[in-house]
Amino acid sequence: MTKDQPRWLGAVPSGRVPIVPLIVAARWLLLAVVIAGIYFFSGFIVPVLAALVIGFATWPLFADLTRLCGGNTKLSASIALICILFFLIVPMLVAVTFAFDEFKVWFNWLLEANRSGVAVPPWIAALPMVGDWLAEQWALHVGPPGAIGELIQMTSGANIGNIYRAIMTASGEAFRLVLTLLFMMIALFFVYKDGSALVAQIDLVGERILPTRWARISRIVPATISSTVTGMTLIAIGEGIVLGLAYWIAGVPSPAILAVITGVMALIPGGAPLCFTLISIYLLASGHAVEGTALFAWGTVELFIVDKTLRPRLVGGPIKLPFLPTFFGLIGGVKTMGFLGLFIGPVLMALLVAIWREWLIELKGEEAPLTVLSREPPDA
């Protein structure tokens, strides 16, 4: 090997110019490594995002817990994980399990009704003003044998047997959900334990990428996530539990699945009032006037307490999501990420709205001096 002969590792001779500049090659190599990492670890993106969302939302409480533990982050992270496990994860899993069991009962009834037909329920015929019309439509499109299957196939394109097999197959996804929650808890432990160091590293990279905007955006993101998760998720879970207990006391059939539906609908503005109002109307029409009236009164009082006292204190931060972004975030999150998308979807929409509003504030700040100058007289 001569002195000027290029080597695999080493300096390039001064008389030669590389085909691709070194900085461009390094950037493309870094991009390829990032894409490969995303591809190979894509299965862990959802639990890691969920862990980050929960970590951001509960970080002030965790900071207080760390001070009580004398700065021991390992001990405080372990205690925080135990609290989240027993007060959040376990009740949600129990509620979903009961709801799935009740849903199977509903579906078995649907199969039997499709096979042998079903008469018009008395409470539907007893509804004021619309009872006769609904009873007539029921007798035409729902009551005859096989009518329910035809209706489902007409609306969804799938027959009732395929839907039943899909539901039975989906029951096997419970293990996948538990595994995802396990990965989320592991990631959350390290988010708590190494969160301060991680934030410092992200700030260092962010200030290099967005030197003029990172200081404001990096501070609005935690507040946005905290307000969104606290205001939309925890209150929705609380409303589902409280109204579910009210359904059980009032004697509503399948209270667990109705509680889960109410909790999901509570993520959407106006969803929870719609749920308990419809259930109250069902109780009134089925002859349970006292239970229906009491349920509607309890739901109204609970909604007033939450909206007037709890929500203003728990929901803070700079972002108040409108209805449409909230709806898109909820539906898109569930469609893309499954059950955990209920938490992640609205947060991502809140971040997009936060960035959009920050951009508008900057544009208005840039246009204000020009407007002031244009109103001054020419000789000024």
Side-chain angles (χ1 to χ4, degrees):
M1 180 180 295
T2 61
K3 182 178 180 181
D4 294 335
Q5 186 176 357
R7 296 174 296 175
W8 286 102
L9 297 175
V12 178
S14 59
R16 297 188 179 184
V17 179
I19 298 176
V20 180
L22 294 180
I23 186 63
V24 175
R27 289 173 178 174
W28 281 104
L29 180 61
L30 179 60
L31 180 62
V33 171
V34 171
I35 293 175
I38 294 175
Y39 174 76
F40 283 104
F41 300 104
S42 58
F44 299 95
I45 292 178
V46 172
V48 169
L49 283 177
L52 289 174
V53 168
I54 296 176
F56 273 121
T58 58
W59 190 260
L61 298 176
F62 175 74
D64 296 337
L65 180 61
T66 303
R67 283 193 292 269
L68 292 176
C69 295
N72 190 340
T73 56
K74 292 182 180 180
L75 178 60
S76 58
S78 302
I79 296 175
L81 243 62
I82 293 174
C83 293
I84 291 175
L85 180 65
F86 282 101
F87 293 101
L88 183 62
I89 304 298
V90 172
M92 288 173 54
L93 290 178
V94 171
V96 171
T97 302
F98 276 106
F100 187 76
D101 292 337
E102 293 179 356
F103 184 79
K104 288 194 295 185
V105 174
W106 282 17
F107 204 86
N108 290 331
W109 175 87
L110 188 64
L111 290 175
E112 182 63 26
N114 182 67
R115 185 181 302 111
S116 58
V118 60
V120 180
W123 66 272
I124 291 182
L127 290 173
M129 295 185 291
V130 297
D132 296 335
W133 181 82
L134 289 176
E136 181 182 355
Q137 298 301 317
W138 182 286
L140 290 175
H141 303 290
V142 181
I148 297 178
E150 295 177 0
L151 186 63
I152 292 175
Q153 188 170 8
M154 182 177 63
T155 55
S156 64
N159 57 50
I160 196 169
N162 292 337
I163 296 175
Y164 179 77
R165 286 190 291 270
I167 292 175
M168 293 298 101
T169 303
S171 63
E173 295 292 323
F175 176 75
R176 180 182 176 184
L177 176 62
V178 172
L179 196 62
T180 302
L181 289 175
L182 177 62
F183 289 149
M184 185 197 72
M185 298 297 286
I186 294 173
L188 183 59
F189 174 80
F190 287 98
V191 168
Y192 282 143
K193 175 178 170 294
D194 303 321
S196 300
L198 180 62
V199 169
Q201 295 174 9
I202 294 176
D203 281 340
L204 183 63
V205 177
E207 289 174 357
R208 182 68 180 269
I209 298 175
L210 300 171
T212 59
R213 296 183 176 90
W214 180 255
R216 184 167 59 253
I217 293 178
S218 63
R219 298 304 173 257
I220 202 174
V221 167
T224 300
I225 293 178
S226 179
S227 62
T228 302
V229 173
T230 303
M232 296 178 57
T233 307
L234 297 182
I235 291 180
I237 293 174
E239 289 188 353
I241 294 174
V242 172
L243 291 175
L245 291 175
Y247 299 157
W248 177 69
I249 295 173
V252 179
S254 303
I257 190 170
L258 291 176
V260 173
I261 294 174
T262 303
V264 174
M265 291 296 294
L267 294 170
I268 304 173
L274 177 64
C275 288
F276 71 74
T277 301
L278 292 177
I279 295 174
S280 300
I281 292 174
Y282 160 75
L283 289 174
L284 291 173
S286 58
H288 301 84
V290 177
E291 291 84 350
T293 305
L295 177 62
F296 183 78
W298 169 250
T300 304
V301 172
E302 183 266 343
L303 185 67
F304 177 81
I305 293 174
V306 170
D307 286 345
K308 299 301 181 182
T309 60
L310 295 180
R311 194 183 297 272
R313 295 189 178 186
L314 293 178
V315 180
I319 297 300
K320 302 279 190 302
L321 274 182
F323 171 79
L324 198 59
T326 302
F327 181 77
F328 285 161
L330 176 64
I331 302 302
V334 173
K335 183 179 179 181
T336 306
M337 300 179 180
F339 178 74
L340 292 176
L342 290 174
F343 301 87
I344 300 175
V347 169
L348 294 180
M349 290 302 299
L351 294 180
L352 292 177
V353 173
I355 294 173
W356 173 258
R357 290 177 178 176
E358 284 296 308
W359 189 27
L360 291 180
I361 291 174
E362 288 187 2
L363 292 178
K364 291 179 181 179
E366 292 176 358
E367 292 178 357
L370 297 178
T371 305
V372 174
L373 291 177
S374 62
R375 293 178 179 177
E376 294 181 356
D379 55 355

